[in-house]
């Protein structure tokens, strides 16, 4: 049992303990989580997947991500915005994704909202809420990591004001963590000490 501190994996490297809870998490932790994500379509995918994750474990979403990408046309905003009632019915019957009516409807509605934005506008809005990293000490244990912050609350309000759905403060913070607006890798984690070259 861990106290929430970094744990040594099979390769001897220390990682955030959640990264070693299942094999699927290791590459996600090492290569994606906390790495900067830019681009409207890429951020739309993350917003959508974080919304689908609400109330579920992230591993459930991660294992179905290929199915989500296939079902939602690679999360290309323009394509999803053009989905019809037939597409909605297809999504509600697709066993490769989470068939939650409210979350599917929110994803389609969000795409329609975002299709009217200028290119780069979503990227700019989200990244404008990144806190100053100098004011954020590295977490030593999992208990040091918040679920909500003033910045995630502000981001949630900004997204909702612009018409997006399923973007509460907790979901917004998970988005900030996943997309690299904040670095919540533990202080001793290999991904904080020596992140992979880009």
């Amino acid at each position: 049992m861990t106290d929430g501190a970094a744990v040594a994996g099979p390769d001897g490297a220390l990682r955030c303990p959640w990264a070693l809870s299942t094999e699927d998490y290791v590459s996600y932790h090492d290569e994606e989580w906390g790495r900067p994500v830019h681009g409207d379509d890429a951020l739309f995918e993350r917003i959508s997947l974080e919304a689908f994750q609400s109330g579920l474990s992230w591993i459930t979403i991660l294992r179905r991500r290929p199915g989500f990408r296939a079902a939602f046309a690679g999360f290309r905003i323009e394509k999803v915005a053009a989905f019809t009632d037939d597409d909605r019915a297809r999504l509600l019957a697709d066993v490769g994704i989470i068939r939650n009516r409210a979350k599917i409807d929110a994803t389609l509605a969000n795409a329609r909202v975002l299709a009217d934005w200028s290119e780069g506008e979503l990227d700019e809005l989200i990244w404008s809420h990144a806190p100053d990293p100098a004011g954020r000490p590295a977490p030593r244990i999992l208990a040091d990591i918040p679920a909500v912050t003033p910045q995630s609350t502000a981001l949630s309000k900004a997204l909702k004001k612009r018409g997006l759905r399923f973007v509460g403060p907790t979901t917004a913070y998970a988005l900030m963590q996943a997309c690299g607006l904040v670095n919540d890798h533990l202080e001793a984690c290999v991904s904080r000490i020596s992140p992979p070259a880009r």
Side-chain angles (χ1 to χ4, degrees):
M1 190 58 138
T2 175
D3 60 359
V7 177
D11 59 359
L14 292 174
R15 289 182 176 83
C16 302
W18 62 264
L20 300 171
S21 61
T22 175
E23 208 173 292
D24 296 300
Y25 271 155
V26 177
S27 61
Y28 175 70
H29 168 274
D30 290 359
E31 298 164 20
E32 290 188 64
W33 193 74
R35 311 283 175 223
V37 174
H38 286 282
D40 293 343
D41 289 342
L43 289 166
F44 170 59
E45 175 181 358
R46 297 302 182 94
I47 288 171
S48 302
L49 293 179
E50 292 294 348
F52 273 102
Q53 186 269 331
S54 181
L56 302 169
S57 67
W58 179 247
I59 196 63
T60 301
I61 304 303
L62 191 59
R63 287 176 175 160
R64 294 186 187 203
R65 188 163 59 170
F68 274 107
R69 286 175 169 167
F72 284 97
F75 289 98
R76 292 186 298 279
I77 293 168
E78 292 290 338
K79 287 191 173 287
V80 179
F83 276 15
T84 64
D85 287 342
D86 287 344
D87 289 305
R88 180 177 179 272
R90 169 183 59 79
L91 292 168
L92 288 167
D94 190 337
V95 296
I97 65 170
I98 305 299
R99 295 174 294 168
N100 178 294
R101 185 179 308 273
K103 293 174 182 180
I104 288 171
D105 287 346
T107 303
L108 300 181
N110 288 347
R112 291 178 188 125
V113 167
L114 293 171
D116 289 334
W117 291 22
S118 302
E119 184 177 344
E121 194 171 351
L122 177 62
D123 190 302
E124 184 178 339
L125 174 65
I126 289 175
W127 278 91
S128 72
H129 289 82
D132 179 359
R136 292 179 51 87
R140 292 177 303 101
I141 59 173
L142 292 180
D144 294 338
I145 300 173
V148 175
T149 64
Q151 293 87 0
S152 76
T153 300
L155 175 57
S156 170
K157 286 180 180 174
L159 292 170
K160 287 179 178 179
K161 185 177 180 182
R162 297 292 302 274
L164 272 68
R165 294 157 50 180
F166 262 95
V167 286
T170 303
T171 298
Y173 192 67
L175 175 73
M176 292 171 77
Q177 291 175 302
C179 295
L181 280 76
V182 296
N183 183 353
D184 276 344
H185 285 285
L186 298 182
E187 185 176 47
C189 176
V190 65
S191 290
R192 177 178 281 275
I193 296 169
S194 56
R198 312 197 110 73

